[in-house]
Each structure stands twice: as C-alpha cells, then as structure tokens.
Amino acid sequence: PKSLASAGLLAYIVTQKYEDGLPLSRQERIFERAGIDLNRTSMARRLIASLFSIIPKMKYFYQARIFEELCKPKFIPAYDKG
C-alpha cells in the first residue's frame, strides 16, 4: 500500500544519504531487513518531491541572508597612533 512519508522518515533518509554517505540501495536493504517495504525508487521520488517543496523556502532564506549581510555594519579597526 502507498502512503505519504513522514517528515521524520524523509529526514532520516536525507541524513543517511547526504551526511553519512549511505546510498539508497543500502538503505533499501536496511529497511528490508527491518521488514519495511520501501524501495530505492520510492525513496528517490520522495526526496525529489521534498526538494521541490523546499527550494522556494531555500531561495527566500538565501536572499534574506544576503540582505542581512549587506545591511550589517562593517567593522573598521581603529588604528593606534601611539
């Protein structure tokens, strides 16, 4: 049966793949040993779908961060004359 992946499951898959370097094929085998029917194609589709929902938010935060950096007062060191 098909179901929506929870945020926790997606976070786990993303962390395992990109932070720990664990390919989806190995994750598939780990889930299989645990009795969970989740193939790598499904994981890849869910990752791509979640990425498309995150991209607009990432763009907003990136632009906000750039604006914040531009508006920051610049530190200019004072030189001692002594």
Side-chain angles (χ1 to χ4, degrees):
K2 295 188 180 206
S3 65
L4 294 174
S6 69
L9 176 61
L10 285 172
Y12 177 79
I13 293 169
V14 168
T15 302
Q16 291 293 316
K17 178 160 177 53
Y18 295 106
E19 198 62 32
D20 300 334
L22 193 64
L24 295 178
S25 57
R26 287 193 198 152
Q27 290 188 51
E28 179 181 31
R29 290 193 300 265
I30 292 168
F31 284 123
E32 190 176 288
R33 283 194 307 266
I36 300 168
D37 183 27
L38 184 59
N39 63 40
R40 68 186 113 173
T41 304
S42 296
M43 286 188 274
R45 286 183 182 150
R46 289 176 176 156
L47 287 176
I48 292 167
S50 65
L51 181 64
F52 280 119
S53 69
I54 292 171
I55 286 174
K57 294 173 186 77
M58 288 174 62
K59 285 181 181 178
Y60 170 78
F61 287 120
Y62 178 74
Q63 289 170 348
R65 174 83 173 136
I66 289 174
F67 181 74
E68 179 183 306
E69 287 296 320
L70 291 174
C71 294
K72 251 188 205 177
K74 305 294 183 223
F75 175 72
I76 301 171
Y79 293 99
D80 278 337
K81 294 182 181 181

